[in-house]
């Protein structure tokens, strides 16, 4: 395995995007190393996969008394201890505090199951179906202070079929997520991405 950038992956659930990225790291296509998996959910199935792969896991359950900034302060100290250079949000269902976003500016990636800027936030696939769009898809973007609003790195479109349900559309979008997310991480780890305003350019 190539050493490369030190990565933390944040998950809340199944972690299939985390697995897709990890598989590429194992193959050596991504010059990075996942040294930490952070979760807000102690029962996230993705944590078992992390442990099977000997990746350290840190669970941070949010107490009701914790403000968002207090909650993320605890996570930041763990990230600093591990010298994290890249944060990958992979189905992490909490909005980051502005402080962590500023600290890791243009070093936090997220995947969203819609063609942003359409349908940000939760239940993106259902919103796309309810709206009646003919194409939806997925987007990898840098994280800024807004919700799913940062500069876009990669997108893939998926045609909506007449018989689609939220589940069938989500499944087809997820297949594309597993393609574009590892690819975006590879570009980041190869220092191929540059951000100018809202636009992200890939060096050739
Ligand atoms: C993915 O579809 C991802 O795009 C979505 O959660 C799912 C996580 O799946 N993320 C969001 O909706 C964030 N706004 P995974 O745990 O199997 O990677």
């Amino acid at each position: 395995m190539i050493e490369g950038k030190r990565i933390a992956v944040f998950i809340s659930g199944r972690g299939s995007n985390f697995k897709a990225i990890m598989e590429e790291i194992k193959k050596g296509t991504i010059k990075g190393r996942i040294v930490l998996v952070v979760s807000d959910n102690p029962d996230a199935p993705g944590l078992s996969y992390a442990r099977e792969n000997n990746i350290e896991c840190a669970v941070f359950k949010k107490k009701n008394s914790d403000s968002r900034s207090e909650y993320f302060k605890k996570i930041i100290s763990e990230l600093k201890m591990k010298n994290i250079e890249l944060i990958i949000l992979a189905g992490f269902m909490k909005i980051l505090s502005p402080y962590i976003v500023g600290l890791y500016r243009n070093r936090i990636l997220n995947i969203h199951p819609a063609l942003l800027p359409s349908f940000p936030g939760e239940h993106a696939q259902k919103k796309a179906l309810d709206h009646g769009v003919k194409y939806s898809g997925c987007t990898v973007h840098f994280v800024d202070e807004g919700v799913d609003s940062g500069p876009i790195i990669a997108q893939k479109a998926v045609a909506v079929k007449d018989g689609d349900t939220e589940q069938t559309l989500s499944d087809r979008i997820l297949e594309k997520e597993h393609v574009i997310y590892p690819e975006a991480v590879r570009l980041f780890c190869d220092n191929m991405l540059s951000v100018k305003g809202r636009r992200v350019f890939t060096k050739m």
Side-chain angles (χ1 to χ4, degrees), residues 21-199:
I21 292 163
M22 187 64 196
E23 291 307 315
E24 291 304 317
I25 289 176
K26 284 182 185 172
K27 286 186 211 160
T29 54
I30 294 174
K31 295 192 194 91
R33 194 151 71 97
I34 300 172
V35 294
L36 182 67
V37 170
V38 169
S39 182
D40 57 332
N41 171 15
D43 302 319
L47 288 173
S48 316
Y49 175 81
R51 291 186 183 116
E52 282 160 22
N53 284 275
N54 299 314
I55 301 170
E56 196 175 320
C57 298
V59 175
F60 293 89
K61 274 184 84 172
K62 190 173 175 304
K63 296 188 203 120
N64 285 339
S65 55
D66 276 348
S67 67
R68 195 189 308 167
S69 83
E70 281 164 346
Y71 176 73
F72 280 100
K73 259 185 200 156
K74 294 176 199 164
I75 296 181
I76 288 168
S77 42
E78 189 70 29
L79 298 175
K80 285 187 171 167
M81 273 197 310
K82 298 269 178 324
N83 297 317
I84 296 302
E85 300 168 281
L86 168 65
I87 297 171
I88 295 175
L89 306 184
F92 184 67
M93 292 312 197
K94 283 208 162 24
I95 296 168
L96 303 192
S97 68
Y99 184 67
I100 185 170
V101 172
L103 206 57
Y104 292 90
R105 173 85 53 206
N106 295 338
R107 293 189 294 148
I108 308 176
L109 307 184
N110 183 40
I111 187 138
H112 183 72
L115 292 177
L116 292 170
S118 291
F119 315 121
E122 290 182 16
H123 311 297
Q125 303 95 329
K126 182 173 188 308
K127 287 179 192 162
L129 273 180
D130 289 350
H131 195 90
V133 295
K134 298 298 181 195
Y135 285 89
S136 190
C138 49
T139 304
V140 179
H141 64 93
F142 285 111
V143 172
D144 68 5
E145 283 78 357
V147 176
D148 301 321
S149 55
I152 290 170
I153 300 167
Q155 291 186 303
K156 201 95 177 167
V158 171
V160 178
K161 296 180 183 171
D162 286 349
D164 262 334
T165 61
E166 186 182 353
Q167 188 62 52
T168 58
L169 180 61
S170 301
D171 290 347
R172 288 207 313 290
I173 292 174
L174 192 65
E175 279 176 32
K176 302 296 181 197
E177 294 184 37
H178 295 165
V179 175
I180 64 169
Y181 213 1
E183 175 61 10
V185 172
R186 182 185 72 75
L187 291 171
F188 181 94
C189 290
D190 284 342
N191 299 313
M192 298 281 276
L193 300 177
S194 64
V195 186
K196 291 190 183 71
R198 282 213 50 88
R199 297 187 66 189

